[in-house]
Amino acid sequence: MSEPVALDLSTRSAGARGKPPRHFADLSPDERAAAVTDLGQPAFRARQLATHYYGHLTTDADEMTDLPAASRQALVEALLPPLLTQSKRLTADRGTTVKTLWHLFDGARVESVLMRYPHRSTLCVSSQAGCGLACAFCATGRLGLTRNLSTAEIVDQVRAAGRMLADGDLPGGPTRLSNVVFMGMGEPLANYARVMAAVRTLVAPVPDGFGLSARNVTVSTVGLAPAIDKLADEGIPVTLAVSLHAPDDELRGELVPVNTRWSVAQVLDSARRYFERTGRRVSIEYALMRDVNDQAWRADLLGELLNARGRGWVHANPIPLNPVPGSRWTASEPSVEAEFVARLRAHGIPTTVRDTRGSEIDGACGQLAGQEDE
Ligand code: SAH
């Protein structure tokens, strides 16, 4: 790689072109109380605002009827400014998959994809506008990195989706958001501090957060090994997904350029440590590409590498490659996919082929490119 990887384990500012407006979801409890008193309001209004935002999922002053009419508007304007402006919404799967394209304050664009299933609802959130990791088969990777999202820009994707579900906007009646996966645009562990602050907010009980269960939050990474180790020390047992895509460094280096920095072995060792620290079984993501990474011997090698690090700590999630315009790669033949899965299972690796929702609206894994007109 010619450019250094944008691996951010610290607290750099959100972007070169200034920061998004101050938002409640970016502030600590003390900062919230101070912001409210600065507006001439009693500090307890911060908790009322939190209940509206995280509990009722609203930023609409008119709905905040427990606040004095005179102060609602001022509080909302100062602390809940709009961060995401909906620019387009596409639906698929009979309305149960919804992709939203958002414009951010500086014109950057990101997408989130909401998927309703019979017994859960999952939001796929973006953590960066674009992505700097340049995986060859991923539409977002072709864009390059525009900037990191702020914590509130991530959190507000979740609030907006929760509100859609609560309002019954998806078929099946009103429901709650149960799962969040960091599988939208960007590499979450390259925007570490802000993603972790967002994760803490997702799992904090209402009114401090959305009250999701940590196991229902999945952080998917291209394999930034030191950041996986850091995540293991956070004490929040989120589900970790590792985008492996090849068991050998030669091929993985082609598909996932950051592999030249952290090899297959280093990534798998970190993933194994993650399991030890958290007790959470790790997912290995593997996009099956015809005649590229779908050979039976690669399934065997993957099974051996996983078993070499113990039993019962990992499961495999192959997914047929979703088409990306201009890419030379296509999905594996179904029979080849079936053989790949059978080989992994023969090694004792629990394996589930991931379902690919929303591919016809370019809302599936690896297809998010923030296009205005498709
Ligand atoms: N940067 C993170 C999260 C975003 S991508 C990561 O790499 O894990 C979410 C998942 O979709 C990853 O496993 C990614 O490798 C996969 N993916 C990317 N492009 C894809 C494509 N065209 N078809 C199927 N999966 C793809």
Side-chain angles (χ1 to χ4, degrees):
M1 292 205 39
S2 52
E3 272 177 53
V5 175
L7 171 57
D8 173 20
L9 299 177
S10 66
T11 48
R12 250 180 330 134
S13 73
R17 286 171 289 166
K19 287 187 179 186
R22 178 178 70 161
H23 192 279
F24 197 75
D26 278 320
L27 304 181
S28 69
D30 284 351
E31 290 169 333
R32 290 172 184 181
V36 167
T37 46
D38 284 353
L39 292 167
Q41 297 288 322
F44 67 82
R45 299 253 182 268
R47 194 167 172 86
Q48 289 177 304
L49 271 187
T51 301
H52 285 297
Y53 186 78
Y54 296 113
H56 308 148
L57 307 169
T58 189
T59 57
D60 182 352
D62 293 341
E63 293 181 18
M64 303 182 184
T65 50
D66 58 334
L67 296 172
S71 54
R72 275 180 224 163
Q73 206 61 47
L75 284 166
V76 165
E77 273 172 25
L79 293 170
L80 296 173
L83 295 178
L84 311 175
T85 307
Q86 183 184 318
S87 136
K88 197 169 61 171
R89 188 157 274 174
L90 293 174
T91 62
D93 305 314
R94 299 201 180 125
T96 58
T97 301
V98 180
K99 179 172 91 164
T100 308
L101 173 63
W102 304 105
H103 282 199
L104 308 181
F105 83 100
D106 57 354
R109 291 175 298 187
V110 296
E111 291 170 318
S112 6
V113 184
L114 179 58
M115 292 156 281
R116 183 168 189 173
Y117 300 90
H119 301 293
R120 68 191 150 94
S121 296
T122 300
L123 181 71
C124 179
V125 289
S126 293
S127 56
Q128 300 181 311
C131 184
L133 280 303
C135 298
F137 52 88
C138 175
T140 311
R142 290 163 172 250
L143 300 174
L145 178 64
T146 302
R147 69 170 170 89
N148 286 324
L149 299 197
S150 67
T151 297
E153 285 170 329
I154 298 168
V155 166
D156 209 50
Q157 293 174 57
V158 178
R159 183 203 58 82
R163 184 64 196 228
M164 281 179 71
L165 291 171
D167 285 344
D169 289 353
L170 272 67
T175 188
R176 295 170 61 90
L177 183 68
S178 58
N179 295 63
V180 170
V181 297
F182 284 84
M183 293 188 182
M185 296 169 88
E187 166 53 40
L189 298 187
N191 184 16
Y192 190 90
R194 284 165 292 271
V195 165
M196 278 319 299
V199 166
R200 278 186 216 104
T201 301
L202 298 187
V203 303
V206 178
D208 296 315
F210 297 113
L212 293 177
S213 152
R215 62 176 54 234
N216 290 346
V217 174
T218 299
V219 173
S220 180
T221 178
V222 70
L224 308 183
I228 293 173
D229 288 327
K230 195 171 153 82
L231 183 66
D233 288 334
E234 296 282 352
I236 308 174
V238 295
T239 299
L240 175 70
V242 174
S243 298
L244 200 69
H245 306 309
D248 51 309
D249 287 319
E250 194 184 345
L251 177 59
R252 192 166 192 268
E254 264 177 53
L255 299 177
V256 179
V258 77
N259 192 72
T260 54
R261 188 97 165 249
W262 294 290
S263 65
V264 170
Q266 286 172 299
V267 171
L268 292 182
D269 287 345
S270 289
R272 168 70 206 191
R273 283 194 289 273
Y274 188 84
F275 168 75
E276 280 160 25
R277 294 299 305 266
T278 63
R280 299 290 302 141
R281 208 163 65 152
V282 175
S283 297
I284 300 293
E285 314 291 295
Y286 200 108
L288 284 165
M289 306 174 209
R290 186 179 303 176
D291 298 331
V292 175
N293 64 354
D294 60 359
Q295 302 82 356
W297 71 265
R298 282 200 161 94
D300 289 335
L301 179 56
L302 177 57
E304 284 158 20
L305 292 177
L306 298 178
N307 284 334
R309 289 166 174 79
R311 296 278 171 161
W313 69 280
V314 71
H315 60 106
N317 259 172
I319 177 174
L321 186 80
N322 291 306
V324 168
S327 155
R328 52 199 158 102
W329 290 304
T330 55
S332 302
E333 297 283 358
S335 61
V336 173
E337 174 185 306
E339 175 66 11
F340 196 91
V341 169
R343 294 264 179 156
L344 285 175
R345 289 190 179 141
H347 285 273
I349 308 295
T351 304
T352 335
V353 176
R354 212 161 76 196
D355 115 291
T356 111
R357 281 269 194 120
S359 53
E360 70 271 32
I361 53 170
D362 282 349
C365 300
Q367 294 186 314
L368 303 184
Q371 290 301 307
E372 289 295 345
D373 32 60
E374 11 183 86

